[in-house]
Amino acid sequence: MDAVFSVPEPHNEPVRTYEPGSADAERLQRRLTELTAERIDLPMTIAGEQRMAGGAPIQVVQPHRHAHVLGVTGHATHDDARAAVKAAKDAAPGWRALPFEERAAIFLRAAELLAGPWRDTLNAATMLGQSKTAVQAEIDSACEFIDFLRFNVFFARKLLAEQPMSSPGVWNRFDHRPLEGFVYAVTPFNFTAIAGNLPSAPALLGNTVVWKPGPTQQFAAHFTMRLFEAAGLPPGVINMVTGRGEEVSDVVLADPDLAGIHFTGSTKVFQHLWRTVGENIAGYRGYPRLVGETGGKDFVVAHTSADVDALHTALIRGAFEYQGQKCSAASRAYVPRSIWEGGLRDRLAATADGLTYGDVTDFRNFGGAVIDDKAFSRHTAALELISTDDSCRIIAGGTADDSVGWFVRPTIFECGDPAHETFTTEYFGPILGVHVFDDARFDEVVTQAEAIAPYALTGSIFATDRRVVDAVAEKMRYAAGNFYINDKPTGAVVGQQPFGGARASGTNDKAGSWHNLVRWMSPRTIKETFVPPTDHTYPHMG
Ligand SMILES: NC(=O)c1ccc[n+]([C@@H]2O[C@H](COP(=O)([O-])OP(=O)(O)OC[C@H]3O[C@@H](n4cnc5c(N)ncnc54)[C@H](O)[C@@H]3O)[C@@H](O)[C@H]2O)c1
Ligand SMILES: N[C@@H](CCC=O)C(=O)O
């Protein structure tokens, strides 16, 4: 078809509230019951074929009730990885030959399916497999995922319209080619939306993908793959392999056609992938694009002019929603003594102690469990360190219990030493450290907080004095890729707060924006001269 198509104007998917007795809550409860009653296979999908990975089996459980197995997956082997790479390469010519609007239509259809008949399935799978409450699942596996799908199409279309200038007699064009080779998408456990976005964004631009979800997110990843298929994604475009991923990386990172890595997860794993690519660099056809969004040690700085009610709510929500398992979670706070001792300490402690973490299918709970036994051990070790260190004092929580689920109580501690390891280490759990300072030391504390952690993902300033807001925003310009004024440091919305951090937090390629999409294109510049010269001499030659 000869036409230059425009694409639908995207809008953010409205967040449903799941109030008691509402039709939405009842439908979601029904789907939770159905998925809980089943125990399904969680296979790989390679070239459109579903088959179990060849390596050791893995039980995928409900973190808040770890005796309950939702499904069984397996570790992909070298052979499995080779098959996925082959499938991605085989599908590439056909996929990149398909016009953009045909590819876009698949992902727009996926967005509408997810907004409608698939919403409860993805939300219920995310609640059960990742221990998210209804609202935390809704903002992730429904709204953010839908937004990624819709906004990526919109931004991609704008990029495709981007063309060079042409002087008289010449026509210059950009041919926005996909990368030459395949993309390796490696995704974390904590966001179903991120797991869906990392393979689908490069695919939208015409790339084919090997996708390796986190094993503890495999339940929702399984339904995400089925959603893509239901939307019409051809076989081989996204090939999902399961398990931890080391064996997959052995194969993928050694392949000459590796064209890019789209990663979200811990800093340590991303650095390992980057290092391996560096070691193999001479063996690739091109220079693989490395896009990685990684860890954080996200701060909240309060000034004496702060609205204390807003600060209290932001700290509770920012630190303890989804059990602190957001890369953006508030994990270190800096609070003036007058505010802290003037009531905030006792209020925060009471609120945190009142938060209910439990089975997320009981909608009255504020949170669920942490993701697995490894996370539980990491958090209990941190609690042990905090409770035995003389410079720290726990004011709320501090306990954990893994008898039924991996539950860690929302924990707040004060620490007199702002350089303590608890202010630089990402625990990725419901643990908030607070440094209380004499009011007059505000500038000094901001300077210290700016550089103490290796990360630069999110951070907030709470102040009503605009001179303070301005000064802190300037001083902390490189301390956060997403900076908030009088708001919690979590909850970025696609199209509104493009998300990503720098320093050890990643390559800051802003998921869900054109910044990210442009990494999956390799433009070819075409110059056409309509009447080419026929004399090789120049006027100055006489
Ligand atoms: N910056 C962001 O946007 C963002 C968003 C979400 C999560 N995160 C970060 O992710 C981390 C939590 O997620 P996680 O526990 O799933 O992270 P993780 O690094 O443990 O795992 C991420 C993915 O890498 C895989 N993996 C591990 N070793 C591998 C290897 N050698 N080869 C291939 N794959 C391998 C895992 O199986 C998983 O799929 C936290 O550090 C958090 O801050 C960052
Ligand atoms: N984008 C999410 C965090 C993603 C990382 O876990 C937020 O803004 O809270």
Side-chain angles (χ1 to χ4, degrees):
M1 244 186 296
D2 280 347
V4 178
F5 296 97
S6 56
V7 297
E9 193 80 14
H11 61 272
N12 290 113
E13 178 65 15
V15 178
R16 298 187 184 173
T17 52
Y18 301 95
E19 279 146 67
S22 65
D24 286 338
E26 279 172 19
R27 257 198 347 272
L28 180 57
Q29 279 290 5
R30 267 200 301 282
R31 196 68 186 114
L32 284 164
T33 307
E34 286 163 8
L35 291 182
T36 306
E38 297 168 4
R39 176 181 166 139
I40 59 172
D41 281 346
L42 301 167
M44 306 182 299
T45 304
I46 298 177
E49 301 283 319
Q50 294 181 38
R51 63 181 169 81
M52 293 302 285
I58 311 167
Q59 293 194 333
V60 178
V61 304
Q62 298 187 34
H64 44 270
R65 196 154 13 116
H66 46 53
H68 186 111
V69 179
L70 293 162
V72 177
T73 188
H75 289 296
T77 61
H78 290 160
D79 281 347
D80 294 331
R82 274 191 280 272
V85 169
K86 179 176 183 316
K89 291 187 192 183
D90 289 350
W95 181 241
R96 61 174 169 246
L98 204 60
F100 170 73
E101 59 271 16
E102 302 299 336
R103 298 195 303 264
I106 293 169
F107 295 109
L108 289 174
R109 178 167 153 76
E112 295 317 302
L113 289 171
L114 183 51
W118 283 73
R119 192 183 202 110
D120 293 328
T121 298
L122 264 273
N123 277 344
T126 301
M127 291 174 70
L128 295 171
Q130 292 142 258
S131 205
K132 289 202 173 190
T133 58
V135 71
Q136 291 299 316
E138 168 73 8
I139 60 171
D140 165 18
S141 40
C143 300
E144 186 167 346
F145 194 0
I146 293 165
D147 289 352
F148 275 137
L149 293 164
R150 289 181 182 149
F151 280 79
N152 280 346
V153 167
F154 178 73
F155 291 128
R157 179 65 188 78
K158 280 191 157 185
L159 285 175
L160 295 179
E162 202 50 51
Q163 291 293 323
M165 312 280 287
S166 294
S167 51
V170 166
W171 187 10
N172 296 321
R173 279 165 273 163
F174 262 155
D175 162 17
H176 291 286
R177 301 174 301 186
L179 305 183
E180 191 178 18
F182 68 94
V183 172
Y184 184 28
V186 180
T187 59
F189 80 81
N190 69 330
F191 267 74
T192 296
I194 296 175
N197 181 47
L198 267 51
S200 59
L204 172 67
L205 274 319
N207 300 281
T208 56
V209 180
V210 173
W211 171 30
K212 215 293 295 162
T216 44
Q217 197 265 330
Q218 192 57 51
F219 195 54
H222 172 81
F223 292 103
T224 299
M225 196 64 220
R226 306 288 78 80
L227 169 71
F228 288 147
E229 290 167 348
L233 191 74
V237 174
I238 295 177
N239 301 280
M240 183 179 68
V241 289
T242 55
R244 225 174 14 246
E246 283 94 341
E247 292 204 31
V248 179
S249 286
D250 290 344
V251 171
V252 166
L253 302 184
D255 195 286
D257 292 316
L258 176 69
I261 296 181
H262 202 187
F263 177 83
T264 296
S266 62
T267 300
K268 186 165 153 246
V269 172
F270 187 51
Q271 291 185 352
H272 166 74
L273 299 178
W274 189 301
R275 197 176 301 117
T276 311
V277 167
E279 284 160 5
N280 295 347
I281 199 69
Y284 300 120
R285 186 190 295 274
Y287 293 95
R289 302 276 169 92
L290 303 179
V291 174
E293 301 304 333
T294 63
K297 188 71 189 174
D298 309 296
F299 60 83
V300 173
V301 174
H303 181 251
T304 46
S305 68
D307 172 337
V308 178
D309 291 343
L311 176 62
H312 166 262
T313 300
L315 287 173
I316 293 291
R317 286 188 162 180
F320 302 129
E321 283 183 340
Y322 191 37
Q323 300 82 262
Q325 298 174 117
K326 298 187 186 187
C327 56
S328 50
S331 61
R332 53 184 173 123
Y334 301 86
V335 182
R337 193 171 304 286
S338 60
I339 289 185
W340 188 248
E341 291 177 359
L344 183 65
R345 177 187 51 211
D346 298 343
R347 212 171 139 196
L348 274 178
T351 309
D353 281 338
L355 296 176
T356 51
Y357 280 178
D359 185 333
V360 291
T361 63
D362 179 346
F363 285 15
R364 291 168 303 178
N365 284 322
F366 182 83
V370 301
I371 193 69
D372 60 13
D373 53 347
K374 284 194 289 302
F376 184 83
S377 303
R378 193 170 64 243
H379 302 325
T380 48
L383 297 181
E384 173 68 17
L385 168 77
I386 294 162
S387 62
T388 54
D389 191 313
D390 287 345
S391 60
C392 302
R393 186 165 73 97
I394 291 179
I395 65 154
T399 58
D401 177 356
D402 64 350
S403 50
V404 177
W406 293 294
F407 289 107
V408 177
R409 285 296 307 157
T411 297
I412 304 175
F413 67 98
E414 278 184 59
C415 187
D417 174 10
H420 195 268
E421 66 172 279
T422 51
F423 282 76
T424 58
T425 307
E426 183 190 50
Y427 296 121
F428 214 56
I431 302 175
L432 171 67
V434 182
H435 177 64
V436 181
F437 58 88
D438 293 337
D439 296 10
R441 287 183 50 241
F442 182 74
D443 289 344
E444 187 193 320
V445 164
V446 171
T447 303
Q448 195 275 347
E450 196 278 335
I452 191 65
Y455 302 102
L457 189 50
T458 74
S460 307
I461 168 70
F462 275 79
T464 55
D465 181 332
R466 293 310 305 191
R467 282 166 311 183
V468 170
V469 170
D470 181 52
V472 174
E474 186 54 34
K475 211 168 199 173
M476 299 201 115
R477 192 162 178 222
Y478 284 95
N482 282 60
F483 185 73
Y484 293 83
I485 299 169
N486 295 321
D487 205 343
K488 63 184 167 56
T490 60
V493 173
V494 176
Q496 298 196 40
Q497 296 95 27
F499 191 79
R503 296 186 183 163
S505 293
T507 54
N508 198 17
D509 285 295
K510 300 295 188 208
S513 79
W514 65 266
H515 292 264
N516 176 281
L517 299 178
V518 81
R519 303 295 309 274
W520 311 117
M521 299 171 143
S522 177
R524 173 172 64 148
T525 304
I526 299 173
K527 175 187 180 190
E528 178 168 357
T529 303
F530 292 121
V531 184
T534 53
D535 175 2
H536 75 279
T537 62
Y538 289 97
H540 68 81
M541 295 168 71

